[in-house]
Amino acid sequence: MVYEIGNLIHETLLGPIAAAEDALARLDERVARSEVGAGFAERADFFDSVSSMWVGGELVHLEDLVLHDAQMDIRAPSHELVIAHRIVRARRRVSRNDPGWAVSRSGIMALAGVAEELTLESEPSDRGGEGVELDLVDHDALSPELAEIDEVLARTKWLVDGNQPTAPRKHEPELSVGELLIRDPNWDEGERIGEWLELAKKVERLPATLAAALLWDAWEHLEPLQRQHGLGQVLVSDFLRSRGKVRSHLLAYAVGLREIPRERRRARDRTVRLVAFLDAMSAAAAAGMKDIDRLTLAKRQLERKASGRRTTSSLPVAVDLLMSRPIVSAHMVAKAAKITPRGALNLVGELGVREMTGRGRYRAWGIL
């Protein structure tokens, strides 16, 4: 599978490129200077994860994701919830590393939890010798017992596959039978990742937003990771960070993609798709600016309620927690402030924040 850049000079792209570049620059400057910038960046991890699942056709409730992250689940976590939390952890890991770390083979492999190849090819030596292939696995060192087990497994593999031993093996794409997922053995993730990384080098000469849109379109086309497609949005956000377009935080790109109709995101014409992806960056920036405004206003209101309290008051801790999470529960406040759940309920009552769930039990409060 090959992804060609081709001729990208199209007048319909100029306006969306300029709008996206301007919107992202404004957001980056606003977050860098804002008093709630750190909390905004933490909240963005949850919003981006939920939106990423939504774009992929899965529904994950924000409150379930926040409680799962705090290890305070009110029910057994679903498969979709586990995947969503994996995206949250991936974004945090990318944020802790240098810009551009994720847009590398080692970064992608680390985020996907895939072991890199053990076989390495050395560069030709200065002595004029040929490249030497280094195999880190010593097959001759295996014990005879293990070798016999491998031989038996190889002879009986057809029983697991469900095919006759004499019939040629038929390769099919990944299938889903109930909760059983079957991988396509011909899905060469290493080759597809390599092709995507080569494209990342080619687009360096293009404007950052257009290059990021191309990388996302290529990720959708190539599908480098068979089972962790949602990491693509995280990689695109890190690419924008490495280009200096959004340095203050990791852009919640999926939040913007969620605002774009599926017909535009999946259009046959690539130019239409690229415009949609550029508009998604502008939408993500606009949503971020609104969230910054809400958080700034909310923090000032909450700080007025907490002013004049004694230095040992737990109200400032509760305020900081509310700034960094979309919603909080009484147990989350109690754990952060090191007080009892009853005391946490009293703190929430004093702050007067909005109850988000509308339930009598397992309630949660937040700023939205």
Side-chain angles (χ1 to χ4, degrees):
M1 187 174 291
V2 180
Y3 186 89
E4 298 291 343
I5 296 181
N7 185 12
L8 292 172
I9 302 177
H10 202 291
E11 60 181 9
T12 58
L13 290 174
L14 298 180
I17 290 173
E21 293 272 339
D22 182 63
L24 293 181
R26 288 175 180 272
L27 175 65
D28 185 42
E29 183 69 16
R30 183 73 185 279
V31 175
R33 294 177 177 272
S34 175
E35 57 183 323
V36 296
F40 167 81
E42 292 187 57
R43 288 163 58 93
D45 294 338
F46 296 98
F47 289 128
D48 188 70
S49 177
V50 171
S51 299
S52 178
M53 297 298 294
W54 189 92
V55 171
E58 302 289 350
L59 178 62
V60 174
H61 292 287
L62 182 63
E63 59 188 82
D64 290 338
L65 180 58
V66 175
L67 292 175
H68 180 71
D69 179 67
Q71 299 180 350
M72 296 180 180
D73 301 87
I74 60 177
R75 62 179 68 89
S78 63
H79 179 64
E80 293 77 15
L81 180 59
V82 173
I83 295 176
H85 189 242
R86 186 182 300 162
I87 296 175
V88 172
R89 289 188 286 112
R91 285 179 56 87
R92 289 171 176 169
R93 186 171 184 180
V94 171
S95 299
R96 289 195 301 267
N97 282 276
D98 295 331
W101 168 79
V103 191
S104 64
R105 181 175 292 274
S106 59
I108 295 175
M109 292 298 186
L111 292 173
V114 179
E116 293 197 58
E117 298 292 338
L118 293 180
T119 302
L120 305 174
E121 288 187 3
S122 65
E123 296 293 333
S125 63
D126 296 335
R127 300 177 183 178
E130 298 293 333
V132 181
E133 186 175 281
L134 301 177
D135 193 344
L136 301 184
V137 180
D138 186 6
H139 297 285
D140 296 333
L142 296 175
S143 63
E145 292 80 4
L146 292 178
E148 291 178 4
I149 293 175
D150 290 339
E151 184 179 355
V152 172
L153 290 175
R155 289 200 307 265
T156 59
K157 194 174 186 297
W158 64 274
L159 291 172
V160 180
D161 297 336
N163 299 326
Q164 295 296 328
T166 56
R169 184 172 182 178
K170 183 179 180 181
H171 298 295
E172 297 182 352
E174 181 178 292
L175 301 176
S176 176
V177 182
E179 296 184 356
L180 176 63
L181 292 176
I182 305 173
R183 287 180 177 270
D184 179 5
N186 279 343
W187 199 285
D188 192 342
E189 291 187 342
E191 180 181 353
R192 295 176 186 235
I193 290 174
E195 184 175 348
W196 189 82
L197 290 175
E198 283 298 320
L199 178 65
K201 296 178 181 178
K202 293 179 181 178
V203 299
E204 286 288 342
R205 56 185 174 84
L206 299 174
T209 53
L210 178 58
L214 274 169
L215 286 178
W216 173 243
D217 189 55
W219 186 270
E220 291 270 84
H221 179 74
L222 298 173
E223 297 186 44
L225 297 177
Q226 189 176 2
R227 296 284 297 278
Q228 300 188 52
H229 188 69
L231 285 178
Q233 290 133 345
V234 182
L235 302 182
V236 170
S237 298
D238 189 47
F239 175 80
L240 287 170
R241 193 168 64 123
S242 68
R243 291 287 298 269
K245 185 54 59 179
V246 185
R247 297 180 180 178
S248 58
H249 68 291
L250 202 61
L251 178 69
Y253 185 41
V255 173
L257 287 173
R258 185 173 180 172
E259 299 298 321
I260 306 301
R262 185 181 185 278
E263 292 74 17
R264 294 182 59 196
R265 290 187 280 109
R266 297 290 185 178
R268 291 180 178 271
D269 187 354
R270 185 177 68 169
T271 302
V272 175
R273 297 197 305 270
L274 292 179
V275 171
F277 299 151
L278 290 167
D279 289 345
M281 296 179 199
S282 299
M289 295 287 281
K290 292 180 181 178
D291 200 24
I292 284 286
D293 291 338
R294 284 194 296 266
L295 287 177
T296 302
L297 178 60
K299 184 175 183 181
R300 290 173 182 172
Q301 291 176 342
L302 294 176
E303 284 180 342
R304 281 200 295 267
K305 295 181 179 180
S307 63
R309 302 296 179 118
R310 61 182 185 276
T311 57
T312 57
S313 174
S314 299
L315 279 178
V317 178
V319 171
D320 291 340
L321 184 62
L322 283 166
M323 291 296 108
S324 64
R325 295 293 184 273
I327 62 171
V328 299
S329 66
H331 286 280
M332 291 174 63
V333 176
K335 183 178 180 180
K338 298 181 180 179
I339 57 178
T340 63
R342 181 67 259 178
L345 288 175
N346 294 336
L347 283 181
V348 171
E350 291 183 42
L351 291 174
V353 291
R354 179 183 175 186
E355 205 281 323
M356 308 298 295
T357 61
R359 298 182 305 208
R361 300 180 61 189
Y362 303 113
R363 294 182 296 169
W365 298 263
I367 303 166
L368 284 178

